Amino acid sequence: MNTDIPIENMCCEVGRTLLDALAQIDLNAKGIVFAVDEAGRFVGTLTDGDIRRAVLARCSLDTKVTELLDKGSDVFGQVLQSVKARAPRVNLQQSAVSASVGTSLEDLVAKTSDRIKIIPLLDEDGRVADFFERTTSFHAPIAAPELLGNELDYVTECIETNWISSQGRFISIFEKQFAEHCGTAHAIAVSNGTVALHLALVALGIGPDDEVIVPDLTFAASAAVVLHAGGKPVLVDVDRESWCLDPGCVEQAITPRTKAIMPVHLYGRPCDMERLQQIAEAHELIIVEDCAEALGAQVRGAQVGSFGRTACFSFFGNKIVTTGEGGMCVTSDPALYEKMLVLRDHGMSKTRRYWHECAGFNYRMTNLQAAIGVAQMECLDSILTYRDHIAEMYHEGLADTDLVLPHPGSGMREVVWLVSGMLEESVDKDQLMSRAKEKGVDIRPFFYPLSDMPPYEGCCPRPTPVSHELSGRGISLPTSIAFSDDDYARIIDTVRECL
Ligand SMILES: *Cc1c(COP(=O)(O)O)cnc(C)c1O
């Protein structure tokens, strides 16, 4: 793997001192040494930063390498007593990362990250035989969180003020900001997008014998929550152009037991809400929107999330706005709002502590998550603009290829979640994905049609040919503000080559 640096220069025996380790780092100019025992077996990794933090914490340069590795926690304890703010963080996880000689490039890339760029390659006896350095290879994951604004400041405030649990000012700020964004009266922050959907269904009274119409092509959580609420998901086909619920198929699937329709704005592409609303009104059905992938998308000037009786969002790490894990329900129905508040908090009466009106849940979000969410929402416009720019680069760069990237329907403002498109039938999708992966570019397949999977057997009254076709041909490309335009040029070149 590595050709320039003799492996001895990358290693330092654990019995030597931090000064010796620094001399090795100076020699190899990689900012890192592998600590080894007398037999050359890998023990742990030390970076120049680890040593600097130890020295700042009054650790002598004559200290043995082994002490810093083993007694990481002791050093940590001493420092907490003396200089609390400068606690050295010996990165235990980093210390442990290694791979064996002969590990595939793909696995090596997967073991590295922006923080762990160099890992030792060990022989059968655990001796350091070589090392792998990530800068020699490119890695574009499908998505990465983008913390660009006040996230750190707000989270720091939570820690400094001790408000780290589910009370605190950021929860209410986040909810208010979110409701304003959607144009709804209320928003209720919860611990993830799946429980947001579950909370909505339970609050709406969906239960045994109730049917909820769900698209066959969606992330499984949309349908799983119907089962968890005790109802039956009825899976119907999607529209070839929008990739979302086909209103004609929805109408066909309505029975006397149908209670609700769950439009999912898939990959940031809005559903035909006008037709779905007409159908819902005609049959007295409730609309619960799944907006997990489409924050900021609009239909005729109105935000997705403002159409249903209630709508749910996800703030998982790969979504448009993230709080790590997190979710939100929005609604303008005051009674439903009250019901969701009570159910989110153990079903406890709002006026009588420990009096439970119903069996509820703990679906609360923490102030820490909300702090990140508030900072993210402050940047939403820039996030969406930059995501549009990413999609434009892909559109231009892949225009004449066997990957067709769609344009939004009329009256729709679609948002870019994961830039997604359809491969021509002649393209072998699996081969494309593995070729791209070898070159460091993650390409994701579409979701499988839910009706093909065991939990949803018997939930699909009619064949769903469009869901099957889109699922077979659809792929998503790396989409993150964390990459530069140059990175995208490189990703596009790679995709072109692999096509
Ligand atoms: C991500 C997602 C969810 C679930 O959200 P989590 O926050 O991951 O629980 C639900 N539906 C769709 C369509 C999603 O993409």
Side-chain angles (χ1 to χ4, degrees):
M1 292 262 148
N2 151 69
T3 48
D4 307 335
I5 301 170
I7 197 65
E8 310 86 73
N9 294 2
M10 292 298 293
C11 299
C12 179
E13 265 188 44
V14 287
R16 313 253 312 263
T17 65
L18 295 186
L19 191 64
D20 296 329
L22 277 180
Q24 286 297 86
I25 292 176
D26 193 47
L27 195 63
N28 66 40
K30 289 285 171 192
I32 198 168
V33 278
F34 306 129
V36 296
D37 66 11
E38 311 79 58
R41 284 183 298 250
F42 175 64
V43 177
T45 299
L46 267 192
T47 65
D48 49 2
D50 292 333
I51 299 173
R52 182 176 64 242
R53 281 183 288 273
V55 169
L56 283 170
R58 309 278 185 271
C59 186
S60 151
L61 279 175
D62 294 330
T63 308
K64 297 266 192 317
V65 167
T66 187
E67 280 179 50
L68 195 63
L69 284 178
D70 300 347
K71 308 237 172 88
S73 52
D74 281 356
V75 176
F76 192 71
Q78 287 162 21
V79 172
L80 273 185
Q81 285 164 14
S82 52
V83 258
K84 196 171 173 191
R86 294 214 211 109
R89 272 167 272 181
V90 175
N91 186 338
L92 295 176
Q93 202 204 340
Q94 170 157 334
S95 306
V97 178
S98 65
S100 45
V101 174
T103 303
S104 74
L105 183 62
E106 189 182 329
D107 290 347
L108 288 174
V109 170
K111 276 184 177 247
T112 56
S113 66
D114 282 344
R115 280 178 48 218
I116 305 176
K117 291 203 172 84
I118 299 181
I119 54 175
L121 301 176
L122 311 184
D123 67 14
E124 284 167 5
D125 300 319
R127 280 190 297 258
V128 179
D130 200 350
F131 70 94
F132 170 72
E133 185 174 13
R134 183 180 146 159
T135 46
T136 57
S137 69
F138 178 71
H139 181 53
I142 188 75
E146 296 134 8
L147 308 174
L148 307 166
N150 291 318
E151 287 87 351
L152 186 59
D153 284 351
Y154 294 166
V155 169
T156 303
E157 182 191 311
C158 298
I159 292 171
E160 284 177 350
T161 58
N162 241 359
W163 290 99
I164 61 166
S165 196
S166 51
Q167 287 179 23
R169 73 185 195 111
F170 289 111
I171 302 273
S172 44
I173 297 174
F174 190 31
E175 289 177 338
K176 187 157 176 284
Q177 191 185 32
F178 207 86
E180 261 165 34
H181 164 83
C182 291
T184 55
H186 307 286
I188 300 128
V190 294
S191 29
N192 62 60
T194 306
V195 303
L197 288 166
H198 187 237
L199 184 69
L201 295 181
V202 175
L204 287 165
I206 304 289
D209 296 331
D210 293 338
E211 294 180 354
V212 179
I213 295 175
V214 178
D216 197 22
L217 187 67
T218 178
F219 180 60
S222 316
V225 292
V226 181
L227 293 176
H228 295 322
K232 182 182 173 194
V234 174
L235 303 170
V236 309
D237 212 357
V238 296
D239 175 76
R240 191 179 297 278
E241 299 308 318
S242 71
W243 305 347
C244 296
L245 270 183
D246 180 328
C249 298
V250 170
E251 271 183 313
Q252 282 180 340
I254 293 171
T255 75
R257 287 183 301 280
T258 308
K259 284 279 152 50
I261 307 174
M262 188 188 291
V264 182
H265 309 290
L266 204 67
Y267 297 104
R269 320 197 67 213
C271 302
D272 182 350
M273 291 314 297
E274 207 171 2
R275 290 261 329 265
L276 291 173
Q277 276 183 316
Q278 286 164 0
I279 295 169
E281 261 167 49
H283 298 269
E284 293 183 37
L285 304 176
I286 302 165
I287 290 182
V288 180
E289 287 175 80
D290 180 345
C291 305
E293 302 175 0
L295 173 59
Q298 297 175 13
V299 181
R300 283 172 238 291
Q303 292 288 334
V304 299
S306 64
F307 294 91
R309 176 86 65 82
T310 174
C312 303
F313 292 82
S314 162
F315 310 122
F316 178 60
N318 71 7
K319 299 291 160 78
I320 291 166
V321 151
T322 185
T323 60
E325 294 275 4
M328 190 78 81
C329 299
V330 294
T331 184
S332 293
D333 175 337
L336 183 63
Y337 173 63
E338 291 301 323
K339 186 97 216 231
M340 292 203 277
L341 283 182
V342 169
L343 281 169
R344 175 179 69 173
D345 195 6
H346 300 289
M348 187 154 66
S349 160
K350 299 261 287 303
T351 49
R352 198 170 165 197
R353 182 157 285 272
Y354 302 130
W355 185 259
H356 299 267
E357 296 165 2
C358 55
F361 312 106
N362 175 359
Y363 282 172
R364 296 180 305 245
M365 175 181 268
T366 66
N367 201 42
L368 285 165
Q369 290 167 292
I372 299 175
V374 170
Q376 290 263 295
M377 286 303 284
E378 288 169 351
C379 298
L380 181 62
D381 286 344
S382 332
I383 290 175
L384 294 178
T385 305
Y386 193 76
R387 285 176 165 268
D388 282 343
H389 170 62
I390 296 170
E392 263 167 44
M393 287 188 280
Y394 275 121
H395 270 270
E396 256 173 50
L398 298 171
D400 49 354
T401 64
D402 283 346
L403 175 62
V404 181
L405 300 171
H407 287 282
S410 65
M412 308 287 191
R413 195 279 189 221
E414 74 176 55
V415 284
V416 177
W417 175 46
L418 299 178
V419 172
S420 301
M422 290 294 145
L423 293 167
E424 295 296 350
E425 246 159 290
S426 54
V427 182
D428 181 334
K429 185 165 82 172
D430 292 333
Q431 203 178 44
L432 169 72
M433 289 191 300
S434 63
R435 271 198 225 140
K437 181 111 195 167
E438 265 169 39
K439 296 179 198 288
V441 174
D442 271 358
I443 296 182
R444 282 271 170 94
F446 266 29
F447 304 121
Y448 291 107
L450 294 177
S451 56
D452 285 354
M453 294 184 275
Y456 307 104
E457 251 170 52
C459 290
C460 191
R462 285 178 189 76
T464 52
V466 181
S467 298
H468 280 81
E469 190 195 327
L470 297 181
S471 167
R473 290 171 44 201
I475 57 165
S476 303
L477 301 168
T479 312
S480 166
I481 301 182
F483 318 143
S484 66
D485 284 15
D486 286 347
D487 291 336
Y488 281 106
R490 189 165 174 174
I491 295 167
I492 288 166
D493 280 348
T494 304
V495 175
R496 291 187 71 96
E497 263 172 57
C498 297
L499 277 165

